[in-house]
Amino acid sequence: GRQRDAPGAADGLALASDPGGTLNFLAMVENLQGDSGRGYYLEMLIGTPPQALNILVDTGSSNFAVAGVPDPDVTSYFNPELSSTYRSQGIEVTVKYSQGSWTGVLGTDVITMPKGLSGSYTINIATILESENFFLPGVKWHGILGLAYDALAKPSSSVETFFDSLVRQAKIPNIFSLQMCGAGLPVSGSGTNGGSLVLGGIEPSLYTGDIWYTPIKEEWYYQVEILKLEVGGQNLELDCREYNADKAIVDSGTTLLRLPEKVFSAVVQAIARTSLIQEFSSGFWTGSQLACWDRTEKPWSLFPKLSIYLRDENSSRSFRISILPQLYIQPILVIGDNLQCYRFGISSSTNALVIGATVMEGFYVIFDRAQRRVGFAVSPCAEADGSPVSEIEGPFTTADVASNCVSSVSFHEPVLWIASYALMSLCGLILLVLVVLLLVPPRCQHRYTDNDVVNDESSLVRHRWK
């Protein structure tokens, strides 16, 4: 599972597969801006003549969409009428998040990236015409770049994703990597913390030590297998399937580390037990209250380290990624002259464990789609006061863990389609009966299944500080 790329190895791969030289990884370093509270975004030029927009980088969804009409919370929007290369497909698309949604129209246009691949590419783009709780006050982005698999694309998986289009047209390797640099900084600060989205490979300057890889269990979200959690070096001793209920994903569009309810409860109890704080307010753990300390005090020494064990490519081994309290006890705001207030960067989830920005800010994360694996390496920008706030260690044996921690009964795409058709058939039958009986054709509404909700409920749509 470990791999250390020799300096220049990634560049050599790029040059070998790309004689045109569209890949210059150093040009992509620090091409992101943002923070964990409101997301990291990339500048993109869309249309002819080009219109500049900031696009949120989201590995937990699969549509590329931009504001297509003025919105009170958006400073810029894409006007397709001003682009000679825009082509409407006339297909309406709606993406629903647990909190918020948008509806738009699919089309195609050309894009270029000032700090990305050289050249221009024709990609599917949804222009957002209506939205609810999607664009919020204070965000500095105007659209979303879904980097997950086409299985999540709306209205169907036949919509080629942005990254698939790049791989096909630019002939780059099917891999991208992401570094988000907000560790220990206010989650809604200046919005210029920075980061890097490297398209087509791995940039050696963005990590130290080894890259550890874990297999992608299913290609929809970046679903991985988590074997156990430790708080302060102590195993939570839960059945490993609890950590993967009903999925465990790596999602840059989620602000927090999200844990299934049972796991969240165990983690909070363990942190409260091992922290040096007694009688801590429950509101802090649930996210309804901030905790404040004198600005001269750093509360991080009061809290334990949190470790997540992932299955290695060699299934009999595992490795662990650890975050120090500097990543999950997050500074929010200053009150008066001497109080700094913090939030708890972990929350509960009803349907997933989500490795969001809280954890990802500690690492350089490699989405190696070609080899169906996600890699983690320590990020040099994951420091607070000159000390690292993240660690990777391994290998460890998996002899004490089940051979498969992912539930075999996973109601994913194919099952959902079958269930949807069955429900629609039943729905039609009931409707027919009602028409006959009442002579009034009531409308049979489709209930949104888990698969229709693209992001976990802590998507940036919800956990943003306004």
Side-chain angles (χ1 to χ4, degrees), residues 19-34:
T22 55
L23 278 172
N24 177 359
F25 296 149
L26 286 174
M28 303 183 209
V29 171
E30 295 184 8
N31 59 1
L32 300 182
Q33 291 186 303

Side-chain angles (χ1 to χ4, degrees), residues 26 97 125 148 184 222 280 322 348 363 412 428:
L26 286 174
Y97 302 81
I125 179 170
Y222 292 98
F280 218 71
S322 299
S348 66
F363 303 96
H412 292 169

Side-chain angles (χ1 to χ4, degrees), residues 152-212:
L152 295 181
K154 306 298 176 192
S156 78
S157 59
S158 64
V159 177
E160 186 175 59
T161 66
F162 180 95
F163 192 68
D164 281 338
S165 296
L166 288 190
V167 169
R168 179 173 58 82
Q169 295 175 46
K171 296 181 169 51
I172 60 171
N174 191 14
I175 175 174
F176 68 89
S177 47
L178 184 59
Q179 180 197 54
M180 303 189 294
C181 294
L185 299 171
V187 297
S188 291
S190 63
T192 55
N193 293 352
S196 305
L197 173 64
V198 178
L199 300 166
I202 299 167
E203 168 49 48
S205 66
L206 298 181
Y207 71 96
T208 58
D210 298 322
I211 301 174
W212 288 82

Side-chain angles (χ1 to χ4, degrees), residues 217 225-228 238-244 311 315-318 397-407:
K217 298 297 290 183
E225 183 181 10
I226 292 173
L227 306 186
K228 61 182 175 180
L238 294 177
D239 183 315
C240 69
R241 285 170 295 192
E242 299 284 357
Y243 303 123
N244 300 279
R311 194 178 297 277
S315 63
S316 64
R317 305 192 317 180
S318 67
T397 178
T398 58
D400 60 335
V401 183
S403 60
N404 181 19
C405 295
V406 177
S407 173

